[in-house]
């Protein structure tokens, strides 16, 4: 099974900051990497699929990059509504494992 | 409006069974793969199981393999999760999610979840 490891586990940042979250797969997954945002009490929301493709309706300040084993999610200029928990997920093979999450908090 | 509505959660004793259902509307259900994802209280997401549009490709997390069975009825626009031999660690909010494609990939639409509580 493929293990997904995110870093950091938590992050404090300010509105307007540029933020990067990293996700590493235990083996190569090509570009089968997805990013989700989850706010408290809400279902997850798909942000990025196939490592770098922006889901419809998601603001362009979100971007994804990487292939193989190393991936990043970047938020170019944090907005108040971006404070949430972010998860990566691989869809290269089953089980389609998630990372442990990165909680983005207001500094 | 695209919508997924889960049902069937509740309080169940360890070792017993429960069947979750997910009713889909607003899209052509039999074109898309579907998933179950769970989240224990205060913890992260865990992918549980997925099924392709035609049920030919099915996968499970190791933690539920042999105990849980996913299925779908395309005529009824419905997804199911039969959960047997439930354990304390199965207690979680269970989400139904629609895939972007016919085979297993990213989940673009999620339900609000149904809570499963395992306790004696």
């Amino acid at each position: 099974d493929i293990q997904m490891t995110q870093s950091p586990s938590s992050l404090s940042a300010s509105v307007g900051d540029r933020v990067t979250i990293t996700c590493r797969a235990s083996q190569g997954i090509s570009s089968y990497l997805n990013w989700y945002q989850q706010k408290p009490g809400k279902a997850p929301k798909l942000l990025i699929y196939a490592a770098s493709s922006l889901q419809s309706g998601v603001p362009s300040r979100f971007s994804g990059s990487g292939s193989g084993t190393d991936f990043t999610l970047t938020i170019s200029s944090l907005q108040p509504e971006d404070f949430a928990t972010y998860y990566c997920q691989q869809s290269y093979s089953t089980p389609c494992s998630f990372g442990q999450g990165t909680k983005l908090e207001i500094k | 409006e695209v919508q997924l509505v889960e049902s069937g959660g509740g309080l169940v004793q360890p070792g017993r069974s429960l069947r979750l259902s997910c009713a889909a509307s607003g899209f052509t259900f039999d074109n898309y793969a579907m998933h179950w994802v769970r989240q224990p209280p205060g913890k992260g997401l865990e992918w549980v199981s997925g099924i392709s549009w035609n049920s030919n490709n099915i996968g499970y997390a190791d933690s539920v393999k042999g105990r849980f069975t996913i299925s779908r009825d395309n005529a009824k626009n419905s997804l199911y999760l039969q959960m047997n031999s439930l354990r304390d660690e199965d207690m979680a909010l269970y989400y139904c999610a629609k895939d972007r494609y016919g085979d297993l990939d990213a989940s673009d639409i999620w339900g609000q979840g149904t809570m499963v509580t395992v306790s004696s």
Side-chain angles (χ1 to χ4, degrees):
Chain A
D1 294 359
I2 299 172
Q3 312 303 318
M4 305 302 293
T5 304
Q6 289 180 232
S7 60
S9 296
S10 63
L11 174 60
S12 293
S14 301
V15 172
D17 283 354
R18 179 183 180 89
V19 166
T20 298
I21 299 170
T22 297
C23 180
R24 175 166 288 175
S26 60
Q27 63 188 74
I29 58 170
S30 185
S31 295
Y32 291 89
L33 192 283
N34 313 305
W35 290 98
Y36 300 87
Q37 175 194 68
Q38 188 180 32
K39 296 181 179 179
K42 300 294 187 182
K45 173 186 174 182
L46 178 64
L47 300 176
I48 302 284
Y49 62 94
S52 60
S53 296
L54 193 68
Q55 173 68 1
S56 175
V58 174
S60 59
R61 62 180 180 273
F62 290 93
S63 64
S65 64
S67 67
T69 60
D70 294 315
F71 302 85
T72 58
L73 172 70
T74 299
I75 309 172
S76 60
S77 178
L78 271 175
Q79 298 303 300
E81 61 267 30
D82 299 337
F83 291 95
T85 301
Y86 293 84
Y87 295 92
C88 63
Q89 180 205 28
Q90 65 83 15
S91 50
Y92 180 79
S93 66
T94 59
C96 300
S97 42
F98 286 91
Q100 81 277 17
T102 295
K103 187 172 184 179
L104 180 52
E105 298 175 306
I106 301 173
K107 183 182 285 184
Chain B
E1 179 192 6
V2 176
Q3 196 171 13
L4 298 170
V5 179
E6 302 95 336
S7 61
L11 174 63
V12 62
Q13 293 179 326
R16 303 299 290 264
S17 299
L18 209 57
R19 188 195 198 206
L20 304 184
S21 299
C22 172
S25 60
F27 64 99
T28 305
F29 182 74
D30 53 11
N31 281 357
Y32 298 95
M34 297 292 295
H35 302 262
W36 289 101
V37 175
R38 69 185 180 184
Q39 186 168 36
K43 298 193 175 181
L45 301 173
E46 180 185 15
W47 183 86
V48 173
S49 183
I51 184 168
S52 63
W53 70 277
N54 59 1
S55 303
N56 281 355
N57 185 16
I58 289 176
Y60 296 97
D62 291 349
S63 58
V64 307
K65 199 174 294 183
R67 300 187 299 122
F68 290 12
T69 302
I70 192 172
S71 62
R72 64 189 295 161
D73 185 336
N74 287 345
K76 295 183 177 180
N77 290 347
S78 293
L79 176 73
Y80 307 101
L81 186 68
Q82 177 66 43
M83 304 186 296
N84 298 332
S85 304
L86 281 161
R87 304 169 179 169
D88 291 351
E89 55 265 34
D90 295 320
M91 186 165 76
L93 184 64
Y94 284 73
Y95 292 105
C96 164
K98 168 191 166 291
D99 200 286
R100 295 189 71 251
Y101 301 113
D103 210 347
L104 303 181
D105 203 271
S107 296
D108 61 351
I109 302 293
W110 296 64
Q112 286 307 299
T114 186
M115 186 67 199
V116 172
T117 302
V118 183
S119 175
S120 52

